Amino acid sequence: MSSTNGPGAEIDGGASRPSIERFAALVPREVATRSGVVFYSGRDAYSSPSPLYLLGLNPGGDADLIGGTIEHHLEVALRDEPDNWSRYRDEPWGPGAKPGTWGLQPRVLHLLDRLGLDPGEIPSGNLVFPRSRQAVHIEDELNMLADACWPVHQAVIEELEVRVVVCFGARVADYVRVKLGAFDEPWGTFVEQNRRGWTSRAYAGTGGVNVIQVTHPGRADWRNPAADITPLVQEAIARPR
């Protein structure tokens, strides 16, 4: 966090190589005291260059029932979680569900599997770290919270040399596009081959970083060939910087 007394304050003796501690140190105090989550991946995902960065909007769930501050989450992430770990693969989300099998988890894992990527080596999280039962419950403070959390994302993108930021839904993509200068018309699209025809769009940002607005995996099943956004993401990874 930004305080020198917070988790991750010892930043590798001033060395410049990326680490989960470096990114944790950027979480501001006013955000860290709320219920929520920062990292959806373990230490391995934040220690070397990554082609992808996965971003949802914010963690779900009732803060009053789940509890656990972001500060506490950071302490656990830095101390207890395995180096190769993924919230999508290794955490049980539903009642009685096995890890990686609930809701959008298998859809995200499908994407990474088709790309030949280890979920434990891909940085992932949410644009906004504090949790809410639904997005509407933080609507009034969404931009303020996104601005507070953005320095963490910016550091991850820059230090891990991220090539593609995969944004779950238009709201996340609209914010990230502004921050990364992805203002031009999309260079690529994927239209679902079904009646609804939802469209995913890929944009070129500054510094060679691509921003992809994908259909939200909470609603679109990427495992279905008619809705699989993998080829668009694959094309973005392959584009020259």
Side-chain angles (χ1 to χ4, degrees), residues 19 38 61 120 128 145 150-151 156 173 183 200 212 218:
S19 70
V38 177
V128 168
L145 290 173
W150 182 252
V156 168
F183 300 116
S200 296
I212 305 187

Side-chain angles (χ1 to χ4, degrees), residues 20-39:
I20 200 169
E21 286 85 1
R22 285 177 59 81
F23 303 127
L26 296 174
V27 178
R29 180 68 184 175
E30 65 269 22
V31 171
T33 56
R34 298 177 60 160
S35 174
V37 177
V38 177
F39 303 118

